Amino acid sequence: MLVVVVFMRGLYNLGNTCFMNSTLQSLASLDEFNTYADNCVKLLAAGDATVNHSADADIAVQLNIVLEQLRPQASRVSAYSPRALVNSLSKKGRWMASRAEQDAQELFQMVSSTLQATMRESDPSLFNTDFLANTAPIENSIVSTASSSSSCHSANSAGKHPLRRRCSTSVCGMPPFANPLLGMAASRIACVKCGYTAAIRHFTFDNLSLTVPRARHTTVEECLSMYTVIDQLDDFKCRYCTVAATLAQTMADIQTCRSELAELDAASKRAARKSAALATLIDHQHQLEQALSSNPEAELKGIKLVSPQPGVSTKQTMIARTPKILVLHLSRSIFLPTGDTIKNTAHVRLQPLLDISPFSTTGHINTGASRPISGPGNSSGMASADSYARAQHNNCLYRLNAVVLHTGAHNSGHYVTYRRVSPAADSPSEEKDAKPEQPWVQGGRWFMLSDTETSEVSIDIVLGAGTGYMLFYERI
């Protein structure tokens, strides 16, 4: 078998910028993200000149330049300086100009939101209903109903590059193009007392922040289980119970009003006022009964709602639509009663493939307060060709592509990246189109990147590192 030599390009540390370097290396490993960032810049080039000179546009352009520089190289090249990108980011976030250590996830969210804003500003038609109505849906998906002190290297600042030449949307093949980072989650709150389930609410995400359990050893699946677990709420006010309590109080007030009216002179002004009050209460009764029978969430004008007795509700969140790129943030912060924050050093064991079927909704929705929103998932818990095939069919199978690790204490340390290079990137051209019958079959090579330092490592080193902070997966 022919072994092709591949070289990875490092990034200069411009003063505690290892958090940025590790994030950029991870993003550069994702083909879908590279295409997305490139499309954003092309869309800018075809758009309004005013938008092209915005802070968001400048970030998008400089980011695209860095991603291009970080592609696998056929020969050894010197490290690259992301100075121009740092300058662009500093215009939007002043914290980027600080020499203090920053957070890799915070930078990721800034980059993601910037590209999304760039799309929105450069072509509003991407976000209007007419465009969406004429656009084919995005693939088949699962949808539910209803720091650090490290060695620093001096580097010359890279000059700014102009936007690429203007191109029409027909030439660029846009719009549409989807943000591969965006997924959708479904959240449900249900009352244990009355069984009422409020409308299942959906929200988009570009990364999921998972709490790492306080244990010596854990897995990504256990972290996801904690994210999707059914939580108990003691302070949530159930809308159905609230309307029911208000109806009970209203009916009691009606009885009291009728008793008082019976003792009054029918011709008196007081009786007239009492009769008007009774009519209002009866109208409120009808509104409340209608709400309970059809829609407890309906607006009840002029009715003062009564707070019911405290009850127990449950809340659960599951993944409703899987993104092409799944980014997981492993939150390692432990907040002490003293107000201090320490780092959770639990060893998180990784696997090359991740099946998120148990944490995703299916076509069936459960409304019971003690039951999962949807499920059980399709995963049997045993990794096999059949389970992988089912997960892939449901858009729930992912391959690990990059890992950002943080070493050191909570408020100081160093970020490094393990980055996967796909077989297509290091194979001869005649082998690039060859696809395995089973796409989950492992392939590719792994590299460790710590600012300017790069070296090839085995996948066992990556999976056993344990100190993962951000995980980047590509859907198979």
Side-chain angles (χ1 to χ4, degrees):
M1 178 180 178
L2 177 63
V3 177
V4 179
V5 178
V6 175
F7 296 93
M8 304 304 295
R9 191 171 196 177
L11 290 169
Y12 284 109
N13 190 315
L14 304 177
N16 284 334
T17 57
C18 58
F19 74 98
M20 181 186 71
N21 293 346
S22 60
T23 304
L24 293 175
Q25 292 284 5
S26 297
L27 293 174
S29 73
L30 306 165
D31 291 339
E32 288 282 355
F33 183 82
N34 281 268
T35 301
Y36 170 60
D38 187 59
N39 281 340
C40 285
V41 173
K42 289 179 179 177
L43 193 61
L44 282 169
D48 186 278
T50 302
V51 176
N52 290 348
H53 291 88
S54 69
D56 288 340
D58 194 30
I59 292 173
V61 172
Q62 297 302 329
L63 172 66
N64 204 39
I65 293 171
V66 174
L67 293 176
E68 184 68 28
Q69 294 296 325
L70 295 181
R71 292 183 182 277
Q73 307 291 322
S75 59
R76 192 179 301 278
V77 292
S78 61
Y80 182 76
S81 171
R83 175 73 66 183
L85 177 59
V86 171
N87 293 338
S88 298
L89 290 168
S90 298
K91 296 176 183 178
K92 187 171 184 178
R94 294 183 178 179
W95 52 271
M96 278 297 303
S98 169
R99 294 299 181 185
E101 178 181 347
Q102 305 297 340
D103 184 71
Q105 188 216 13
E106 188 174 355
L107 175 69
F108 166 80
Q109 290 178 318
M110 183 179 183
V111 169
S112 175
S113 62
T114 296
L115 291 181
Q116 189 73 1
T118 299
M119 288 175 55
R120 187 178 298 111
E121 292 173 3
S122 57
D123 194 340
S125 67
L126 286 169
F127 298 89
N128 65 37
T129 55
D130 291 336
F131 174 81
L132 294 176
N134 296 322
T135 302
I138 303 173
E139 296 188 1
N140 180 34
S141 56
I142 306 300
V143 184
S144 67
T145 61
S147 183
S148 85
S149 171
S150 61
S151 59
C152 300
H153 304 268
S154 60
N156 295 326
S157 299
K160 291 187 177 180
H161 293 246
L163 285 169
R164 300 178 181 181
R165 64 178 178 83
R166 291 181 175 273
C167 58
S168 66
T169 54
S170 59
V171 173
C172 297
M174 303 176 302
F177 59 87
N179 183 345
L181 298 169
L182 289 186
M184 183 176 291
S187 180
R188 181 204 66 193
I189 296 181
C191 179
V192 174
K193 178 181 178 181
C194 70
Y196 174 71
T197 299
I200 294 180
R201 304 185 184 279
H202 294 81
F203 59 91
T204 57
F205 63 85
D206 57 13
N207 75 108
L208 295 178
S209 186
L210 310 180
T211 300
V212 177
R214 299 183 67 173
R216 291 187 61 186
H217 299 276
T218 186
T219 64
V220 176
E221 288 80 2
E222 289 178 356
C223 295
L224 279 166
S225 294
M226 292 180 63
Y227 180 82
T228 59
V229 72
I230 300 178
D231 289 322
Q232 179 175 307
L233 305 177
D234 298 321
D235 56 353
F236 179 78
K237 292 184 179 180
C238 170
R239 176 70 176 186
Y240 190 95
C241 289
T242 298
V243 175
T246 304
L247 175 60
Q249 183 61 56
T250 300
M251 295 178 69
D253 292 343
I254 289 174
Q255 293 298 325
T256 300
C257 190
R258 283 175 173 166
S259 299
E260 293 176 351
L261 184 59
E263 298 176 359
L264 298 176
D265 182 355
S268 65
K269 292 182 178 180
R270 186 179 178 186
R273 291 194 298 270
K274 187 64 69 174
S275 295
L278 178 60
T280 299
L281 288 171
I282 292 175
D283 178 66
H284 288 177
Q285 177 186 356
H286 293 158
Q287 290 187 54
L288 292 165
E289 289 174 341
Q290 179 65 26
L292 287 178
S293 63
S294 59
N295 180 21
E297 305 292 338
E299 182 180 3
L300 300 171
K301 295 182 179 180
I303 301 178
K304 184 178 181 180
L305 298 178
V306 176
S307 296
Q309 292 293 322
V312 176
S313 296
T314 62
K315 179 180 180 180
Q316 186 186 28
T317 300
M318 296 185 74
I319 299 171
R321 186 174 188 176
T322 61
K324 290 184 177 180
I325 297 173
L326 178 65
V327 181
L328 302 180
H329 165 233
L330 302 181
S331 178
R332 293 179 173 273
S333 299
I334 298 176
F335 301 96
L336 302 178
T338 59
D340 297 325
T341 306
I342 61 174
K343 180 179 178 180
N344 184 343
T345 58
H347 185 283
V348 181
R349 177 70 181 178
L350 306 178
Q351 296 294 338
L353 299 178
L354 177 65
D355 177 6
I356 63 170
S357 300
F359 318 107
S360 304
T361 62
T362 64
H364 177 70
I365 301 299
N366 296 324
T367 58
S370 59
R371 301 171 63 191
I373 296 177
S374 185
N378 293 327
S379 175
S380 64
M382 298 294 292
S384 66
D386 288 341
S387 66
Y388 287 151
R390 286 194 299 269
Q392 184 193 17
H393 175 74
N394 293 324
N395 285 338
C396 290
L397 185 63
Y398 287 84
R399 175 183 285 115
L400 183 65
N401 226 60
V403 182
V404 172
L405 300 99
H406 181 265
T407 58
H410 184 271
N411 296 317
S412 63
H414 182 58
Y415 288 98
V416 299
T417 299
Y418 286 125
R419 172 181 170 180
R420 177 178 175 270
V421 176
S422 64
D426 60 8
S427 300
S429 57
E430 62 270 17
E431 296 182 8
K432 289 184 178 181
D433 295 330
K435 295 182 180 180
E437 295 181 3
Q438 297 177 329
W440 50 83
V441 173
Q442 292 307 300
R445 296 153 66 180
W446 283 89
F447 292 82
M448 187 278 292
L449 301 106
S450 176
D451 294 332
T452 59
E453 298 178 11
T454 66
S455 61
E456 187 168 1
V457 297
S458 69
I459 189 172
D460 290 334
I461 291 178
V462 177
L463 301 180
T467 58
Y469 182 68
M470 293 190 73
L471 311 177
F472 295 79
Y473 295 87
E474 283 191 317
R475 196 173 67 197
I476 300 177

